[in-house]
Amino acid sequence: MDQNDPYRRTPAPVADRAPNPYGERDARGPEGLGGWLIAVAAILGLSAAFAILSLGLAVFGGALSSDVPSRYLGYVQARVAVDAVLLPLALAALALFWRRSPWFPRAFVAWALVAAFGKGVRPWMMAMTGELSMVMALATPLLWALFWYGPWIVYALRSRRVRNTFAARR
């Protein structure tokens, strides 16, 4: 403490602080699994649940059988492939979320990018069959990335709560 001003404290030396890969930790900012992080966990949980449902329906519901018209079989197979990638990413991101790992923001961004481009599977397949224009097929994942996943990616990378909650600990 400073002798002239008993309420002024000197900051801790830099070596005593926990390293943070996202910049310096702001001790006055929000911390913990609250706020918008609850929505992030819900989005990841719902994504995992829908991927499990989609994969289950495809495998056990006969969506990959010969009963499906050939022009839709390619779409179903591509959707199953996207869900097969999204499911482990969502589960890994959720595990990192609950462990408060500093790797969580990176895992969430990876999941969001795969999910955004996965939204373009159906329009792309429809464009290949001639049911939809190629411009619309390319615009769909771009719009999903910008207007739905984009703000969540920015939140995960720039939020003070995320930075404080997932800071590296000693």
Side-chain angles (χ1 to χ4, degrees):
M1 290 188 21
D2 191 357
Q3 296 299 328
N4 298 333
D5 187 1
Y7 297 105
R8 174 176 279 187
R9 295 178 185 222
T10 57
V14 176
D16 292 343
R17 295 182 190 169
N20 184 348
Y22 306 108
E24 202 58 37
R25 184 177 184 278
D26 185 7
R28 293 173 288 182
E31 184 177 352
L33 301 177
W36 286 105
L37 279 176
I38 295 170
V40 169
I43 290 168
L44 284 171
L46 287 173
S47 171
F50 284 130
I52 290 170
L53 180 66
S54 173
L55 290 172
L57 287 175
V59 172
F60 299 114
L64 296 176
S65 69
S66 61
D67 298 339
V68 177
S70 62
R71 68 180 188 177
Y72 294 118
L73 187 60
Y75 162 67
V76 171
Q77 290 171 340
R79 187 69 227 173
V80 167
V82 168
D83 286 335
V85 173
L86 279 178
L87 180 60
L89 277 175
L91 293 176
L94 276 172
L96 293 171
F97 177 85
W98 291 114
R99 293 185 56 166
R100 295 186 184 193
S101 170
W103 284 92
F104 168 73
R106 293 180 190 105
F108 178 76
V109 168
W111 168 85
L113 291 174
V114 170
F117 290 112
K119 293 289 184 188
V121 168
R122 181 175 180 205
W124 184 75
M125 294 300 286
M126 290 174 76
M128 292 295 136
T129 60
E131 296 176 27
L132 190 67
S133 72
M134 188 59 80
V135 172
M136 189 65 178
L138 294 175
T140 300
L142 182 63
L143 291 174
W144 269 100
L146 288 176
F147 294 114
W148 174 250
Y149 295 106
W152 290 112
I153 290 172
V154 170
Y155 173 75
L157 295 177
R158 302 287 299 161
S159 168
R160 191 180 305 170
R161 178 180 294 274
V162 171
R163 188 178 316 120
N164 289 343
T165 302
F166 300 103
R169 292 178 207 78
R170 287 185 182 202

